[in-house]
Amino acid sequence: MSPLETSRAALARVRGAEPLVQCLTNTVVTNFTANALLALGASPAMVDVPGEADAFARVAGGVLVNLGTPHAEQRAAMTEAATAAREAGTPWVLDPVAIGALPVRTPLAHELLALGPTVVRGNASEILALAGAGAGGRGVDAAEKVEQAAEAARELARTSGAVVAVSGPVDLVTDGARTVRIANGDVLLTKVTGGGCALGAVMAAFAAVTEDALDATVAAVTTYTVAAELAVAGDRPGPGTFAVRFLDALAAVGDGDLVARAALS
């Protein structure tokens, strides 16, 4: 099937299965991430305490590990959850937020990468840093463009076994052999705290119900970015109004919207 067809089928499965997604994510975006999953039709669980993260990762449909605010207790829980997910066969997403020169999260990202994430998502600078080909960006902002990270993303996918998604004006998703670009979305996603981080959770929801990780990731990005376009349709909102409209759009986005708007190549 084409990427559009697999994306349509994956969205229907998410809505039908309501997958349980464990989120070990940063304190800045917890609420928005949970609401995004609920709007999509998934079920969020913010279980990031050592001693609980292991057991929950074994029963969740998917797991997100986001390094945005990695305090000591959460770092232990992240390693616990990633190890358990690998052992249980639970798909999990690694979001190496702001890695590069920062001395705590950067080695942690590499340790987690060795535990075999199903998907790695980040901006171009984060992907280059994780692949050992760059120094990182300015905090959560990318210093490089998506296409500058394309070959590093493919090599990272080949060496890690993960699907790698590079976020930007045109998103790139690769498993090292296949590469799909998604030219949807809106710049207002970058003006809302959690606009990027919540996508990692959505990827985990799609991976929970889709066997092929590349298909799952393409479907997640396509659904998410088409929803962003729906949220700005008509009178263009400001960032605050957009955040509310975006959650509404995630709840409403459907098969017809993907057919009408998805820009996949």
Side-chain angles (χ1 to χ4, degrees):
M1 292 194 292
S2 70
L4 174 58
E5 290 169 328
T6 57
S7 295
R8 293 166 62 192
L11 176 57
R13 285 194 298 272
V14 169
R15 294 269 168 75
E18 299 180 358
L20 177 62
V21 180
Q22 178 184 9
C23 299
L24 299 92
T25 192
N26 74 76
T27 57
V28 182
V29 306
T30 304
N31 181 263
F32 190 82
T33 299
N35 284 336
L37 286 171
L38 288 169
L40 180 68
S43 180
M46 281 31 198
V47 181
D48 62 354
V49 178
E52 295 181 349
D54 178 303
F56 209 92
R58 296 177 188 275
V59 299
V63 177
L64 167 67
V65 176
N66 174 299
L67 305 188
T69 54
H71 56 77
E73 187 176 58
Q74 192 185 56
R75 295 199 300 273
M78 288 174 172
T79 301
E80 190 178 289
T83 301
R86 179 180 64 175
E87 293 173 354
T90 306
W92 68 282
V93 177
L94 173 62
D95 191 337
V97 177
I99 69 163
L102 293 172
V104 173
R105 71 189 66 215
T106 302
L108 176 61
H110 288 281
E111 291 168 13
L112 291 166
L113 181 67
L115 293 174
T118 308
V119 181
V120 175
R121 80 148 297 270
N123 62 39
S125 296
E126 292 160 350
I127 295 304
L128 283 164
L130 192 61
R138 188 188 65 180
V140 299
D141 297 326
E144 285 85 14
K145 305 299 184 185
V146 171
E147 286 305 319
Q148 291 177 270
E151 186 49 45
R154 283 188 282 267
E155 183 60 22
L156 181 60
R158 286 190 287 265
T159 57
S160 69
V163 166
V164 177
V166 190
S167 295
V170 177
D171 296 277
L172 181 147
V173 179
T174 183
D175 62 2
R178 299 171 292 171
T179 298
V180 179
R181 290 172 174 81
I182 304 104
N184 291 102
D186 192 271
V187 69
L188 281 174
L189 275 173
T190 68
K191 304 300 182 182
V192 174
T193 299
C197 292
L199 176 55
V202 169
M203 289 176 178
F206 275 84
V209 298
T210 306
E211 185 174 346
D212 187 302
L214 183 121
D215 288 346
T217 307
V218 169
V221 175
T222 302
T223 300
Y224 199 83
T225 54
V226 166
E229 293 181 357
L230 296 176
V232 300
D235 57 320
R236 187 168 181 82
T241 303
F242 170 78
V244 175
R245 286 191 186 180
F246 178 64
L247 293 177
D248 289 346
L250 270 179
V253 64
D255 189 80
D257 298 308
L258 299 191
V259 172
R261 290 180 174 270
L264 298 162
S265 62

